Amino acid sequence: MTPRVALDRGLGELALALPAGGREQLLEYLTLLAKWNRTYNLTAIRAPLAMVSHHLLDSLAVLPHLPMPSASATLADAGSGAGLPGIPLAVARPDWSVALAEASQKKAAFLRQAVIELGLSNVEVYEGRVQAWRPAARFAVVISRAFAELAEFAAACRHLVAPRGFLAAMKGKVPQDTMGCQIVKLTVPHLDAQRHLVLCRA
């Protein structure tokens, strides 16, 4: 199976419609990721087919469950790494304003280059630790799949969330201490692993 076929099938299973050119942007993003990965070790997953399931579809599976207040809402991806889940979400929802926060200089350089090459006018990159980030406006949702502990994520990012906004943590197994948050079980096409989204009022 080619990455394109896997992506098409996965989008069908998720019942997700992408904007015009969205599929091509996502596949171009995978090409960029594979190219930079040879030098910068952005992700442990190197096979393009595995990147479709573990990166693209895993990121997109959260879309229907994110509590965005409007079509033009704002989202921050804390500890974005190689741009996950922020870049796939920005491609799928061009009306959203998406900020990618990453402390690593090399990864932030990749994110800036990806934003340029993919033509993502709705994305900005913040290089630095999220704890020190003071954006001009706070976000409706702050999402991450980088933080090991839910409490650590909340402590580091709560100040970035707008009133009545949410922290959204992407997890494998359900964390032991969910701090009274909402748990959403996810099904990711082509990925045989537990996946959950933990939604917490900030």
Side-chain angles (χ1 to χ4, degrees):
M1 192 187 309
T2 65
R4 179 179 291 274
V5 170
L7 178 59
D8 285 345
R9 288 183 182 176
L11 290 171
E13 289 184 37
L14 291 172
L16 279 180
L18 295 182
R23 280 177 171 80
E24 286 66 32
Q25 282 180 302
L26 290 176
L27 292 168
E28 186 180 349
Y29 168 58
L30 285 194
T31 301
L32 272 175
L33 192 52
K35 176 184 173 183
W36 279 63
N37 215 26
R38 290 193 287 270
T39 305
Y40 287 129
N41 193 30
L42 298 171
T43 168
I45 297 170
R46 299 182 178 276
L49 195 57
M51 285 183 180
V52 171
S53 56
H54 288 70
H55 290 337
L56 297 185
L57 297 175
D58 186 52
S59 296
L60 294 171
V62 306
L63 255 181
H65 309 289
L66 293 178
M68 299 299 261
S70 67
S72 58
T74 57
L75 177 138
D77 178 7
S80 187
L84 299 158
I87 286 179
L89 294 178
V91 168
R93 295 292 182 266
D95 290 342
W96 292 359
S97 294
V98 177
L100 311 175
E102 175 52 49
S104 163
Q105 185 177 7
K106 290 179 179 179
K107 290 177 180 177
F110 167 74
L111 294 176
R112 284 191 288 267
Q113 189 63 27
V115 167
I116 292 168
E117 294 200 28
L118 298 175
L120 296 175
S121 58
N122 61 327
V123 178
E124 62 174 319
V125 177
Y126 168 77
E127 182 182 331
R129 298 179 70 238
V130 290
Q131 292 88 338
W133 190 17
R134 296 296 182 271
R138 291 185 285 172
F139 302 92
V141 172
V142 177
I143 194 168
S144 182
R145 68 174 197 170
F147 282 85
E149 299 294 336
L150 196 58
E152 180 187 353
F153 173 43
C157 298
R158 186 176 280 117
H159 70 284
L160 300 172
V161 184
R164 297 183 297 280
F166 285 84
L167 290 163
M170 296 173 66
K171 295 291 183 184
K173 296 179 180 179
V174 178
Q176 287 187 335
D177 183 8
T178 56
M179 305 183 336
C181 303
Q182 178 187 352
I183 310 296
V184 180
K185 185 177 181 180
L186 303 172
T187 300
V188 181
H190 317 307
L191 186 60
D192 184 20
Q194 288 190 50
R195 299 299 288 151
H196 294 86
L197 180 67
V198 184
L199 295 171
C200 310
R201 280 275 189 191

